[in-house]
Amino acid sequence: MSVIRTGISLLVAFAVLAHGAVEVWSVAILETGAAALFLLWGILMAVDREQEIVWSPLNWPLLGLLAIALAQLGFGWTAYAYQTRADLLRVTAYLLLFFLATQAFREKREIRIFVWFLLFLGFGVGLFAIIQYFTFNGKIYWLRELTAGGNPFGPFVNRNHFAGFMEMVVPLGLSLLVLRGTRRDLVPMAALFSAVCVGSLILSASRGGITVLVFELAMLALLGWVQKRGKARLGAVVVVLLAAGAMVAWLGVGQVVERFAQMRPGEITSARRVGMVKDSWRIFLDHPWRGAGLGTLGVVYPQYESVYDGKMVEHSHNDYIEGLAETGIPGAICGIAFLAMLLSICFSRLSAPQGFFSLAVHAGALVACAGLLVHSFVDFNLHIPSNATLFLLQAALATSAPIAQEIARIETKKPGGISVVDRMSRSGS
């Protein structure tokens, strides 16, 4: 399964670095890669028949969404069949990667490597974003021109989507610190990676991103207090935040405040966002049971646009309302089922006996998912392939079974001493 794990990691990195995989060529690579990995997994399973298939309950609502799109295509219920087919392929790729992640990331070493990969990716992207921020020549990577406009930050065309990516990386690093999920000698590295991620998110001046960051910090603090395990390392998190703040102040806090306080040309105003939500709600009211068609909001919206400003609307800047407009009540049922299952499984995982690393991964992944779900009320991060993929991978981590090695360590630990299993596993924390 190592090749599957490597493939998933490479696809995540590619999607992030390729502007979020929002273009036809990049999303095609993501979809082809997911299909190739699934085919390879099938071959591996055929060769080794003793491998057990892990089935997550979250697969059901995702399959339900696919069934809705197929019904829209089959019965002609979509306003634009081509766009529905394109989004059907995209959602299928997400489902395949989620399924493969539940198969490939089971053991402590596998999960630890993937967590540190995400932290390193976040650190690298954040560092690049900071450098590009102060040397920006109007082109992403100093090469790619923005022909359709945008408010770029890092490799993303929209700074809010950069913030969405960081929202799903920061909680992992901070949870390792708060819940003592990593060895003491790795604490400085986790703190450095987290500080750069937090600093770059603040520099992006995304209102939604900074608000969600505060929400995630509060949620992590609450989980640390409930678990009674984070007290010894809360100071490390304070150091991370102070370091990130000092970095922002040193790099130029005045520019950040100005960028945060003022609207830039091409940005969506709050009134415009409210108008798009209301117009999208009207689309849902006209298509309550069938939906307008998966991925068709941009096609249908002009018929319902209440205030025309000459700009094309592709998303309603609210993932929930857009989902309702496109898939109707059946889609809402799938979405509610997904969220209910996610929360139920996550809280059962957090209350289960497990070691520090296992707990930190479950808590960090849960907070990452919660952060993006909150941001989705004012943006469309779940329609950005890189962020949607990472969200589902975080959901896979959050709902994964407690790490067996750490459970064994707890069960074999004797009063007044340290078990052999404990001594062996400490070297791999």
Side-chain angles (χ1 to χ4, degrees):
M1 288 289 179
S2 61
V3 65
I4 303 297
R5 291 188 288 271
T6 301
I8 292 174
S9 300
L10 289 176
L11 283 178
V12 171
F14 165 78
V16 171
L17 297 176
H19 317 306
V22 294
E23 297 174 289
V24 174
W25 68 272
S26 53
V27 76
I29 292 177
L30 180 66
E31 293 167 354
T32 304
L37 288 177
F38 183 72
L39 177 61
L40 180 58
W41 172 82
I43 295 174
L44 294 175
M45 292 297 294
V47 173
D48 185 5
R49 297 181 179 275
E50 294 184 359
Q51 281 281 351
E52 180 185 357
I53 297 178
V54 176
W55 182 263
S56 170
L58 296 180
N59 287 321
W60 293 117
L62 293 174
L63 287 172
L65 182 59
L66 295 183
I68 292 171
L70 287 172
Q72 290 175 334
L73 287 171
F75 293 102
W77 294 341
T78 174
Y80 190 22
Y82 172 81
Q83 193 59 54
T84 298
R85 281 195 296 269
D87 270 41
L88 176 62
L89 290 175
R90 192 174 307 171
V91 175
T92 301
Y94 300 156
L95 173 59
L96 292 180
L97 290 174
F98 172 77
F99 175 80
L100 291 173
T102 59
Q103 312 306 313
F105 298 107
R106 304 186 194 181
E107 303 296 328
K108 181 176 182 179
R109 180 176 178 275
E110 301 163 358
I111 296 175
R112 186 178 68 247
I113 292 175
F114 185 64
V115 167
W116 279 100
F117 161 76
L118 291 179
L119 292 178
F120 181 78
L121 178 63
F123 168 76
V125 172
L127 191 61
F128 160 71
I130 293 172
I131 295 172
Q132 182 178 254
Y133 175 73
F134 289 100
T135 61
F136 193 54
N137 63 350
K139 303 177 182 179
I140 299 181
Y141 294 119
W142 304 283
L143 298 171
R144 185 74 185 275
E145 292 188 13
L146 297 170
T147 56
N151 295 291
F153 201 84
F156 290 84
V157 175
N158 189 314
R159 55 182 170 147
N160 294 307
H161 303 152
F162 171 86
F165 165 68
M166 284 301 175
E167 291 161 11
M168 290 184 287
V169 175
V170 169
L172 283 178
L174 295 183
S175 66
L176 292 178
L177 298 174
V178 172
L179 299 174
R180 294 187 287 169
T182 188
R183 300 196 312 260
R184 190 176 298 273
D185 60 316
L186 293 177
V187 167
M189 184 178 294
L192 172 63
F193 287 0
S194 300
V196 171
C197 291
V198 171
S200 63
L201 193 159
I202 295 174
L203 279 174
S204 73
S206 167
R207 296 173 179 82
I210 293 176
T211 302
V212 168
L213 175 63
V214 174
F215 166 79
E216 290 180 334
L217 291 173
M219 191 172 177
L220 276 172
L222 177 61
L223 288 175
W225 178 77
V226 170
Q227 294 293 335
K228 308 294 185 183
R229 297 188 181 193
K231 186 176 181 180
R233 285 189 179 173
L234 283 177
V237 177
V238 174
V239 170
V240 168
L241 298 179
L242 290 176
M247 178 178 67
V248 172
W250 177 61
L251 292 174
V253 68
Q255 298 179 34
V256 177
V257 173
E258 180 182 356
R259 188 177 181 186
F260 187 81
Q262 299 179 359
M263 298 297 296
R264 301 187 65 187
E267 288 189 326
I268 305 298
T269 64
S270 298
R272 180 61 168 148
R273 290 173 187 266
V274 172
M276 287 190 291
V277 168
K278 290 181 178 179
D279 295 338
S280 300
W281 177 253
R282 290 168 52 217
I283 297 175
F284 163 69
L285 293 179
D286 281 354
H287 308 82
W289 293 105
R290 299 179 179 180
L294 185 66
T296 64
L297 184 126
V299 177
V300 179
Y301 188 82
Q303 306 172 41
Y304 296 83
E305 191 167 14
S306 56
V307 179
Y308 180 69
D309 59 0
K311 297 177 181 177
M312 181 178 179
V313 174
E314 295 183 353
H315 300 285
S316 60
H317 288 261
N318 184 307
D319 281 322
Y320 305 103
I321 295 299
E322 184 167 345
L324 271 175
E326 293 183 347
T327 60
I329 292 176
I333 294 173
C334 290
I336 293 172
F338 181 91
L339 294 179
M341 290 179 184
L342 177 64
L343 292 177
S344 175
I345 298 173
C346 283
F347 286 123
S348 68
R349 296 294 188 251
L350 290 175
S351 60
Q354 58 189 314
F356 290 116
F357 174 74
S358 180
L359 177 64
V361 170
H362 285 111
L366 170 61
V367 173
C369 290
L372 198 72
L373 289 172
V374 170
H375 201 164
S376 290
F377 280 104
V378 294
D379 216 309
F380 53 96
N381 269 291
L382 289 176
H383 285 81
I384 304 302
S386 63
N387 292 355
T389 298
L390 187 53
F391 171 80
L392 285 178
L393 294 180
Q394 290 283 24
L397 291 178
T399 57
S400 61
I403 297 175
Q405 295 96 318
E406 295 202 345
I407 296 177
R409 184 182 69 184
I410 295 173
E411 292 177 348
T412 57
K413 199 168 184 178
K414 299 179 181 179
I418 301 178
S419 70
V420 175
V421 176
D422 196 0
R423 287 196 297 271
M424 293 175 62
S425 60
R426 278 190 176 184
S427 61
S429 299

